[in-house]
Amino acid sequence: MTVLVTGAAGFIGFHVASALLARGERVVGVDNLNAYYDVDLKKARLARLEETPGFTFHRLDLGDRAAAEAAFDRIGPLDGIVHLAAQAGVRHSLTEPHAYIEANITGHLVILEACRRLPDLKHLVYASSSSVYGGNRKLPFAIEDPVDRPLSLYGATKRADELMSAAYAHLFRVPMTGLRFFTVYGPWGRPDMSAYLFTKAILAGEPIRVFNKGDMRRDFTYIDDIVQGVLAALDHPPSDGGEDAPPHRLYNLGNHRSEPLMRFIGMIEEACGRKAKLDLLPMQPGDVRETFADITAAANDLGFAPRTPIDEGIPQFVAWFREYHGA
Ligand SMILES: NC(=O)c1ccc[n+]([C@@H]2O[C@H](COP(=O)([O-])OP(=O)(O)OC[C@H]3O[C@@H](n4cnc5c(N)ncnc54)[C@H](O)[C@@H]3O)[C@@H](O)[C@H]2O)c1
């Protein structure tokens, strides 16, 4: 099987591409290596993938429609696409909104249009986000819940991706699965996310910025569990149920545990062997107080079974951080 992984130099894309290669698939990686965060980290992930037989890479900006269309002609036949490239981050969407439209809307449409034209394609799996649940108060967040109250442009673009995909699955009958990821962390993780920011500051003896004075809860999901869910989704393309049931499904991929932020910080302190200096701040615009994934559908349809509590995942992340940074 040949699988295109977009965002292959990114955190989740790197791990998904590695897992696909490990089970013997050919992987075509795509990424624009943008400077949203440390490009050296993206290059280091890519260098690892490039050591593995079966991996090829195309540097490509999916927001550049003409370049992307030309690249798809060069890439050739594909059996599956795992589309993870995006402008991520809730807070950044308040200051750089256009980056989200280019990467998450134009980039997503470029992938949908490519799907129409790839005769051998069996399945598109794409990243959505828990951010689509926005201001919902009912917990845990379930796939059937209404998702029309986004709290950030990031969340709105991810919901738009789901709706665009539903339309394309209806029109062109390409099987598609959208995965709503819940706060993913682990080795090779993103420098703009809490596990990385907190670990870096604690090891440097600097204060950590804790929003809503720490009164938040997150469903923190370890990267290996996410990879298991992405591969399981790829292996289970939805069937076409006819006019009223196009081949499009959505699933939550979370750990199904809503952890208090202060417990998460406590785990990092323990793994670092140091206490954090807390800079307690008010709630940030765009943020949600709590996330908690109902994973019933993913468990039933995909056999998704997250097994890494933060007590195990955080020490593994901190060990990677120290080794990678020599800290
Ligand atoms: N990490 C999380 O907790 C989380 C949670 C919910 C959803 N997601 C989604 O999962 C996906 C992967 O996230 P991640 O954490 O690995 O983020 P990441 O930023 O590490 O990876 C995204 C990659 O996409 C690339 N990219 C961005 N715009 C591009 C473009 N126009 N063309 C080509 N490449 C482009 C970036 O260079 C980056 O390497 C994203 O769609 C993100 O929105 C992540």
Side-chain angles (χ1 to χ4, degrees), residues 6-14 30-37 42 45 60-64 83-89 99 102-104 107 126-131 154 158 161 179-185 188-193 221:
T6 74
F11 168 39
I12 301 173
F14 160 69
V30 157
D31 203 295
N32 68 354
L33 297 172
N34 70 34
Y36 168 59
Y37 63 76
K42 295 183 182 183
R45 296 181 186 127
L60 175 67
D61 183 354
L62 292 171
D64 180 345
H83 175 43
L84 302 169
Q87 178 57 58
E102 283 154 24
N104 302 6
Y126 65 91
S128 184
S129 166
S130 60
S131 296
Y154 170 65
K158 287 292 176 180
D161 290 345
L179 301 174
R180 294 174 177 169
F181 299 143
F182 282 66
T183 318
V184 189
Y185 74 99
W188 299 93
R190 261 171 44 203
D192 62 324
M193 291 188 68
T221 317

Side-chain angles (χ1 to χ4, degrees), residues 152-200:
S152 66
L153 184 70
Y154 170 65
T157 62
K158 287 292 176 180
R159 180 62 184 145
D161 290 345
E162 296 179 353
L163 296 172
M164 288 158 67
S165 303
Y168 266 62
H170 166 75
L171 289 168
F172 306 111
R173 316 314 285 193
V174 179
M176 299 185 189
T177 301
L179 301 174
R180 294 174 177 169
F181 299 143
F182 282 66
T183 318
V184 189
Y185 74 99
W188 299 93
R190 261 171 44 203
D192 62 324
M193 291 188 68
S194 57
Y196 195 113
L197 291 167
F198 292 165
T199 302
K200 185 178 177 197

Side-chain angles (χ1 to χ4, degrees), residues 16-315:
V16 167
S18 303
L20 287 169
L21 290 164
R23 72 175 204 186
E25 320 289 5
R26 284 179 301 278
V27 174
V28 181
V30 157
D31 203 295
N32 68 354
L33 297 172
N34 70 34
Y36 168 59
Y37 63 76
D38 182 14
V39 178
D40 286 341
L41 177 58
K42 295 183 182 183
K43 287 183 176 164
R45 296 181 186 127
L46 199 52
R48 292 204 148 205
L49 292 175
E50 284 177 325
E51 284 167 8
T52 316
F55 182 77
T56 51
F57 180 70
H58 296 255
R59 185 168 184 167
L60 175 67
D61 183 354
L62 292 171
D64 180 345
R65 181 182 152 195
E69 283 174 1
F72 273 102
D73 289 342
R74 287 198 307 277
I75 288 168
L78 294 169
D79 302 292
I81 299 180
V82 181
H83 175 43
L84 302 169
Q87 178 57 58
V90 166
R91 290 169 196 160
H92 190 64
S93 70
L94 276 74
T95 52
E96 295 293 337
H98 291 286
Y100 290 75
I101 301 303
E102 283 154 24
N104 302 6
I105 302 293
T106 302
H108 195 74
L109 182 57
V110 160
I111 292 294
L112 293 176
E113 279 290 304
C115 289
R116 271 176 84 174
R117 299 194 163 81
L118 286 163
D120 301 321
L121 189 78
K122 293 175 192 69
H123 196 187
L124 165 68
V125 174
Y126 65 91
S128 184
S129 166
S130 60
S131 296
V132 300
Y133 292 106
N136 284 14
R137 300 227 187 262
K138 177 192 151 285
L139 292 162
F141 296 152
I143 288 296
E144 307 75 43
D145 296 342
V147 278
D148 49 10
R149 292 181 61 206
L151 295 184
S152 66
L153 184 70
Y154 170 65
T157 62
K158 287 292 176 180
R159 180 62 184 145
D161 290 345
E162 296 179 353
L163 296 172
M164 288 158 67
S165 303
Y168 266 62
H170 166 75
L171 289 168
F172 306 111
R173 316 314 285 193
V174 179
M176 299 185 189
T177 301
L179 301 174
R180 294 174 177 169
F181 299 143
F182 282 66
T183 318
V184 189
Y185 74 99
W188 299 93
R190 261 171 44 203
D192 62 324
M193 291 188 68
S194 57
Y196 195 113
L197 291 167
F198 292 165
T199 302
K200 185 178 177 197
I202 291 170
L203 290 174
E206 288 164 5
I208 62 172
R209 302 198 311 152
V210 181
F211 296 106
N212 205 33
K213 301 188 174 139
D215 183 16
M216 294 216 263
R217 299 173 77 100
R218 285 286 178 278
D219 199 335
F220 294 103
T221 317
Y222 191 63
I223 183 65
D224 292 1
D225 292 324
I226 287 291
V227 170
Q228 185 252 324
V230 173
L231 267 56
L234 183 65
D235 294 341
H236 290 84
S239 52
D240 191 335
E243 187 58 18
D244 294 332
H248 179 246
R249 297 284 180 282
L250 293 169
Y251 295 104
N252 287 335
L253 292 190
N255 196 36
H256 189 50
R257 295 181 199 210
S258 189
E259 300 279 5
L261 181 61
M262 296 311 292
R263 191 172 111 74
F264 181 74
I265 292 171
M267 297 302 321
I268 299 178
E269 290 178 320
E270 208 174 291
C272 291
R274 292 192 203 170
K275 285 306 247 185
K277 296 177 190 160
L278 305 180
D279 185 5
L280 298 176
L281 297 166
M283 192 75 178
Q284 288 243 116
D287 258 2
V288 297
R289 275 195 177 71
E290 179 165 0
T291 66
F292 183 14
D294 179 335
I295 56 170
T296 313
N300 290 343
D301 295 359
L302 310 176
F304 177 61
R307 46 178 59 93
T308 318
I310 58 172
D311 313 61
E312 284 172 30
I314 285 294

